[in-house]
Amino acid sequence: MAGLLATRVLSERFEKVTLVERDALQDNPEPRKGTPQIQHPHVLLAKGAQIMAELFPGLFEELVAAGSTPAEMSDAAWFHSGYWLVRAKTGVIAYSQSRGLLDWKVRQRVLALPNVEVMDRCEAKGYLASPDNTRITGIRLHRKGEAETTLDGVDLVVDASGRGSQTPQWLEQLGYPRVPQTLIKTDVCYTSRIFHRPKNHQADWLMVAIYAEPPHGKRVGMIFPIEKDRWIVTLAGYLKEQAPTDDAGFVEYSRSLARPDVYHAIKDAEPAGPIVQHKIPGSQRRHYDQMSRFPEHLVVLGDSVCSLNPLYGQGMTSGALQVMLLDKCLRNQPAGSLTGLAQRFRKQVPSVLLLPWMMAMSQDMGHPEVEGARPPGFGFMSWYTKQIISLAARDEEVVRSFANVQHMLKSPATLFSPGMLWRILTARSPEAGASQSSS
Ligand SMILES: Cc1cc2nc3c(=O)[nH]c(=O)nc-3n(C[C@H](O)[C@H](O)[C@H](O)COP(=O)(O)OP(=O)(O)OC[C@H]3O[C@@H](n4cnc5c(N)ncnc54)[C@H](O)[C@@H]3O)c2cc1C
């Protein structure tokens, strides 16, 4: 997704953009080897949707026509930290569809751009550089069954090859130091299955999310509507907790979540596909901004730089924010020159990652088993967040603020406004789990 969005932005500023992809790109929404995660639910946060709608006018109308469901907080039964969040109208719209459908529609738009060329079934194998290695000039390429070739003499190389990006090793081969990395180890496991939505199903929600309750709860369950009147259901676990992959075990495990709503919904539902599993070691960050030396004419973005714990739904949006940063950096370059672009971009990436990284890390660190130094004030922040959630169980205004922050539309500072502080200080504790029930 980061590569597709970057291609769209680059196509406005360069005569020709070549998209290199290891897989064969098919004209359909089916999963492929290079993106196994797309078989699992993918929430597109409202900020990400806003960016995509700007880049591709009419995209979401097209998605809705293809079966995507627009939904907001009032459509979601969300059990968070021991409370059902109140179903408030927030105006924050998220679109629910399979990740395959979203990728396919975006890919169709990108491939239709007149100056975009695709080289699929083609694996990037390393960088080509100027004789003193200070500037990247191209990439080495390999197609199965063929001799290695090169794509040389290019103005800019963008690595959007995802979490498994080889840029750290390729830069080392050119004499650069190893990029510093951070891993917040949470050992998350997703186990997912698509179901036909039962014809007689009656509930007052379009989607359900039963979140783990730190410090002890480690199980998460979610149901999202996807095209063709189906649900994608995931049972996820933190810290090596994982759901079974057999039919009966999957359903039975859903009964063990903090609330039984997922179980009630799927126990008689007809499966529409196999049970699939994906393990994620945790949020991973490559700090290119901290390297003492970095070559010119190279940009690394998307999961290649920052791959977040997927449970918070921020990955595609964080990639989109980095692409918009690239767009801004390109706009600010002197005409006809790319000198300094790579340095300016990598130095500014932390500013766009600050919010998603902090949000993911603070929730992960709520589990005492997760290793790593807690930032100063962590205890207070955890307490404060708990107060916000408990208020969100009955105060629509709080839900509106919370949704805007969660969807990266507004700064977390809005949760510390004088009005919010007053609400928290004057609130009486509600009984946990006592708010509305979902089904
Ligand atoms: C289980 C799970 C659930 C998730 N849920 C959400 C969610 O709800 N919301 C959300 O926003 N995000 C979610 N994410 C995160 C999201 O999937 C990623 O953030 C996003 O896909 C990253 O996009 P990317 O373009 O950087 O990398 P990728 O999507 O990984 O794409 C990388 C591309 O590069 C290609 N490639 C790799 N190496 C090479 C090479 N050497 N040569 C040529 N091509 C290569 C691959 O084939 C692939 O097409 C989830 C992730 C997982 C694992």
Side-chain angles (χ1 to χ4, degrees):
M1 182 56 80
L4 289 171
L5 302 183
T7 304
R8 160 69 184 78
V9 159
L10 296 172
S11 74
E12 267 187 22
R13 307 195 181 272
F14 293 86
E15 211 173 292
K16 183 168 143 193
V17 186
T18 306
L19 184 64
V20 176
E21 168 56 52
R22 187 169 48 197
D23 285 347
L25 289 178
Q26 297 152 353
D27 193 16
N28 62 47
E30 296 310 315
R32 53 190 174 78
K33 196 167 166 233
T35 51
Q37 77 271 29
I38 77 169
Q39 299 173 86
H40 298 270
H42 268 71
V43 177
L44 176 61
L45 299 183
K47 182 68 191 178
Q50 203 179 65
I51 293 172
M52 288 187 202
E54 272 169 35
L55 294 176
F56 308 105
L59 174 70
F60 289 93
E61 288 77 355
E62 211 180 302
L63 279 164
V64 170
S68 165
T69 306
E72 73 133 288
M73 290 293 280
S74 54
D75 301 313
W78 191 358
F79 192 73
H80 194 313
S81 303
Y83 301 95
W84 286 109
L85 303 197
V86 76
R87 306 272 187 85
K89 281 270 177 215
T90 60
V92 178
I93 308 287
Y95 290 83
S96 186
Q97 62 281 308
S98 71
R99 167 77 193 268
L101 178 65
L102 179 64
D103 280 8
W104 182 40
K105 291 291 171 194
V106 172
R107 195 162 63 231
Q108 282 182 331
R109 294 286 190 112
V110 171
L111 300 193
L113 295 168
N115 59 341
V116 170
E117 177 191 78
V118 181
M119 295 176 77
D120 65 347
R121 292 178 298 109
C122 204
E123 183 174 2
K125 299 293 275 184
Y127 292 132
L128 302 168
S130 57
D132 62 358
N133 287 345
T134 57
R135 184 197 153 159
I136 298 300
T137 60
I139 51 177
R140 293 195 287 115
L141 295 170
H142 183 246
R143 248 197 191 127
K144 215 173 174 182
E146 295 178 14
E148 197 171 292
T149 55
T150 59
L151 192 60
D152 204 0
V154 306
D155 292 321
L156 183 67
V157 173
V158 176
D159 173 16
S161 60
R163 190 175 175 115
S165 158
Q166 298 289 301
T167 290
Q169 295 86 325
W170 295 345
L171 287 185
E172 275 187 84
Q173 288 162 12
L174 294 174
Y176 288 90
R178 172 62 57 121
V179 58
Q181 300 202 24
T182 304
L183 175 68
I184 309 283
K185 203 153 170 46
T186 43
D187 287 312
V188 169
C189 178
Y190 268 57
T191 308
S192 306
R193 185 170 218 181
I194 294 177
F195 289 86
H196 294 288
R197 198 173 80 89
K199 296 235 173 326
N200 59 354
H201 180 75
Q202 288 190 336
D204 58 354
W205 47 256
L206 291 176
M207 49 182 71
V208 182
I210 311 288
Y211 267 42
E213 289 177 57
H216 305 299
K218 295 187 175 55
R219 298 180 178 186
V220 176
M222 296 182 262
I223 301 179
F224 293 101
I226 61 169
E227 61 279 4
K228 298 188 186 157
D229 221 6
R230 295 172 301 166
W231 283 334
I232 187 161
V233 178
T234 207
L235 303 174
Y238 285 87
L239 300 155
K240 300 211 162 94
E241 174 69 42
Q242 68 184 69
T245 52
D246 63 287
D247 293 2
F250 184 87
V251 173
E252 195 49 36
Y253 186 91
S254 68
R255 203 207 281 259
S256 71
L257 297 168
R259 286 291 177 277
D261 303 68
V262 174
Y263 169 75
H264 288 309
I266 67 170
K267 68 182 182 356
D268 299 319
E270 184 196 341
I275 298 175
V276 287
Q277 205 163 59
H278 192 102
K279 292 182 180 164
I280 308 103
S283 293
Q284 171 184 284
R285 187 89 177 258
R286 297 194 174 109
H287 305 278
Y288 289 105
D289 54 294
Q290 292 175 10
M291 284 175 71
S292 55
R293 291 182 298 117
F294 188 83
E296 289 289 338
H297 298 232
L298 174 67
V299 159
V300 189
L301 49 71
D303 271 25
S304 302
V305 172
C306 179
S307 163
L308 295 152
N309 179 345
L311 281 167
Y312 316 120
Q314 303 161 310
M316 294 185 288
T317 300
S318 126
L321 287 167
Q322 293 167 62
V323 169
M324 296 324 283
L325 171 65
L326 175 61
D327 187 47
K328 187 181 109 190
C329 290
L330 281 165
R331 259 188 283 124
N332 292 339
Q333 279 296 122
S337 164
L338 290 177
T339 307
L341 173 82
Q343 315 306 334
R344 273 188 283 279
F345 177 79
R346 72 179 174 111
K347 294 280 182 195
Q348 288 181 53
V349 162
S351 63
V352 297
L353 290 180
L354 182 68
L355 173 56
W357 181 262
M358 283 303 293
M359 280 165 52
M361 194 190 63
S362 59
Q363 294 183 76
D364 287 346
M365 294 274 182
H367 295 273
E369 300 94 324
V370 173
E371 290 173 13
R374 271 58 180 165
F378 180 76
F380 169 74
M381 288 302 294
S382 301
W383 173 84
Y384 195 85
T385 308
K386 183 91 183 166
Q387 305 312 303
I388 299 264
I389 303 290
S390 71
L391 267 183
R394 60 191 197 280
D395 185 330
E396 297 203 356
E397 197 47 46
V398 175
V399 171
R400 270 188 277 281
S401 297
F402 182 68
N404 274 285
V405 172
Q406 197 81 23
H407 282 264
M408 293 199 236
L409 294 170
K410 289 200 175 149
S411 151
T414 54
L415 296 175
F416 293 87
S417 67
M420 191 65 77
L421 284 167
W422 178 251
R423 282 179 140 86
I424 286 182
L425 292 173
T426 55
R428 279 183 303 119
S429 240
E431 208 181 305
S435 170
Q436 90 239 54
S437 158
S438 68
S439 48

